[in-house]
Every structure is written in C-alpha cells, then in structure tokens.
Amino acid sequence: MSHIAITLKAGPELADVLVAQLSDAGFEGFEEQTDALVAYIPEGDFNEDILREIVAPYGVGYTKETIQQENWNAVWESNFQPVRVGDFCGIRAAFHAPFEPQPAHEIVITPKMSFGTGHHATTSSMIRLMQGLSFEGRRVFDFGTGTGILAILAEMLGAAEVDAIDYDEWAVNNTLENLEANHTQHVKVWQADTLKEISGKYDILLANINLNVLLQFMGEMRRLLKPGGVLLLSGIMPADEQQILAAAQPQGFEFQHKIEKDNWLAIQFGV
C-alpha cells in the first residue's frame, strides 16, 4: 500500500491545528519539522479536494509525494529521533544506542507509518498521565494503539492483561513487531474500528485518537470500564475541552486531571 506525503509550510501553532483537522480527514501519520508539517495518508484514502478545503483558510501551500510501501521505513529512519518523557520513559528505535542515563522504562519501536512514535504532545502527555496511575495487576484496553507504545508501557508498569485495537492493518502489523521487540507477554492486538464487539471489562482504558472518535465512542468506553476504572483521553485541543467534558459527564465520567502541552490536552476521568 502506497502512501501520499503532504508537506505543508506551517509553524508549530498552525501545525497543531492542521494535525487535528487532517486526522479527521483520514491522515494517520505526522512529522513535525521546524517550519513544516508532513502528513501521511494511504493513497486510496487521499482526496485532494478535502485537503484544499482544510488548508485554504490558512493560505498554506503544500507539496505532494507518493511513497511506495517498500520505501516507507527508510523515510522514517532518516527522520526518527529518540524521545524521553523525563526520567520515566524513553522511546527509541533499534538502530539507536540505549539511553544514557537510562529512564525507568525504555521502549524500542520500529518507526513505521503508525501514529504514536512519542514525538507528538498527545502521546507524551498520555505517558505522563500513565505515570501517575497504578497498573499492577490491572486489565487495560488501548483504543487506537498506533505503534503499541501505550500498550507496551502498560505491561511494563505491571498490567496483567492488555488488549489493543487499531482500525489500520499497517498499524496492527507494526504493533505486533513492536510487541516482539519489547518481549511483551500480556498484550493482544487486533484490527477493529469499533468497540461494539468488545465485551470485557477493564480497569484502565487508553484512547489517544481524535475528537470526533472520542465523542462517538464515549458511551462505549464507559461500558467497558469497571466501577472505579480510569479513562485517559488525548487528541483534544484546548478549545474542545468543554465539548469533551459535556459528553463525558452524562456517561458518569468524573474529571480528575489534565495535562496541556503544545496546544494539546490529555484528560483523566474516573468512574
């Protein structure tokens, strides 16, 4: 499966706005450069008319490139850099040297197409929220796992069982590679784009996706959580916080904590 790479001239603040809108339009991987944003989408899902509608209000120009699947990993490897979330967690590729000094938890991933390399504020903020929770012996669900980083970290933190899904076949395959690289034993991943088929109950649910999906599945996420469970959400911009709170409250979610980074929010709810 080939991908389309769209490079847009945009500074950090505009890039954050564009990531949110492009995510809703089917773009599923992003690389933030100093003065540009590169967004990736499967070639079959690309609609240039929709792209033009998104960028027109900002007067942003763009260039377009087709990347064949066999060349994808070389593209990522040329740009991927290790990520640290304080002393708590480090994320690197196998071709990087181990962190020095070592963080408490080190995750090794293959930096392919899947969203969730740790570079984006949404992923690092989810990791920071996870740092404040007890995962020991817990049952965890990762909705929209991407590269599997959060699922892997949940096991490292002591989770007894981690279930993870993603709608994208490439993301699932990438997650399987990353599970093997990190020697996980308690994580299962499969391809799905809905929670309706999930019947289990979980102590912690992780959802780093986008606003529309979070709103759509708020009731289903509540159904999956045990009494006393915790929901961690990200992919939310500050302007959308009230909309998320308004959707969560009728489902019985209670706001507990939030982190804001680079104009993105991660929010913790309890039930």
Side-chain angles (χ1 to χ4, degrees):
M1 178 175 59
S2 299
H3 278 71
I4 300 293
I6 301 295
T7 301
L8 306 105
K9 294 298 183 183
E13 291 187 8
L14 179 55
D16 287 339
V17 174
L18 290 171
V19 166
Q21 296 185 12
L22 292 169
S23 295
D24 291 340
F27 285 80
E28 54 187 36
F30 302 93
E31 177 192 339
E32 295 188 27
Q33 301 175 351
T34 304
D35 293 309
L37 172 71
V38 186
Y40 301 93
I41 187 170
E43 188 173 27
D45 296 339
F46 178 60
N47 185 318
E48 193 153 7
D49 290 335
I50 292 176
L51 174 63
R52 290 193 187 104
E53 289 178 10
I54 291 172
V55 302
Y58 309 107
V60 175
Y62 65 87
T63 59
K64 180 175 65 173
E65 177 186 5
T66 300
I67 300 176
Q68 301 301 320
Q69 180 169 354
E70 58 268 23
N71 296 329
W72 179 252
N73 203 39
V75 173
W76 266 118
E77 287 190 11
S78 66
N79 293 290
F80 183 74
Q81 296 298 319
V83 178
R84 285 190 76 111
V85 182
D87 295 328
F88 177 60
C89 183
I91 302 157
R92 66 175 179 87
F95 52 82
H96 294 133
F99 287 96
E100 186 59 44
Q102 279 276 304
H105 305 282
E106 183 178 70
I107 299 172
V108 178
I109 69 167
T110 301
K112 291 188 178 178
M113 176 63 208
S114 310
F115 178 77
T117 58
H119 291 82
H120 197 268
T122 57
T123 307
S124 60
S125 292
M126 287 287 283
I127 290 171
R128 289 174 60 197
L129 286 177
M130 291 174 70
Q131 185 177 5
L133 296 178
S134 172
F135 281 78
E136 193 66 39
R138 302 299 179 90
R139 193 161 187 254
V140 178
F141 192 88
D142 185 10
F143 182 23
T145 194
T147 57
I149 282 177
L150 301 184
I152 293 165
L153 180 59
E155 176 171 321
M156 289 180 173
L157 293 173
E161 183 179 347
V162 184
D163 289 339
I165 65 170
D166 201 286
Y167 79 97
D168 184 77
E169 182 181 5
W170 197 333
V172 171
N173 290 335
N174 188 203
T175 294
L176 288 169
E177 292 178 347
N178 294 332
L179 296 181
E180 182 177 358
N182 291 276
H183 311 292
T184 60
Q185 297 181 341
H186 307 296
V187 182
K188 291 190 239 177
V189 60
W190 65 95
Q191 186 177 0
D193 60 2
T194 179
L195 299 176
K196 298 186 185 301
E197 303 293 324
I198 312 300
S199 59
K201 292 285 187 178
Y202 298 87
D203 301 291
I204 299 171
L205 196 152
L206 313 169
N208 181 19
I209 314 182
N210 64 61
L211 176 67
N212 290 338
V213 175
L214 296 177
L215 293 174
Q216 178 184 353
F217 288 99
M218 192 68 72
E220 291 293 308
M221 291 189 288
R222 175 63 185 89
R223 176 181 63 82
L224 292 179
L225 279 169
K226 298 177 183 178
V230 175
L231 173 67
L232 302 185
L233 302 180
S234 197
I236 307 158
M237 303 191 76
D240 300 321
E241 179 179 1
Q242 291 307 312
Q243 193 174 359
I244 285 288
L245 295 176
Q249 193 273 333
Q251 300 296 337
F253 286 114
E254 180 179 341
F255 171 83
Q256 293 181 336
H257 185 50
K258 69 178 179 181
I259 292 174
E260 181 173 349
K261 180 182 179 184
D262 298 339
N263 205 37
W264 289 93
L265 289 178
I267 302 178
Q268 177 176 320
F269 292 98
V271 295

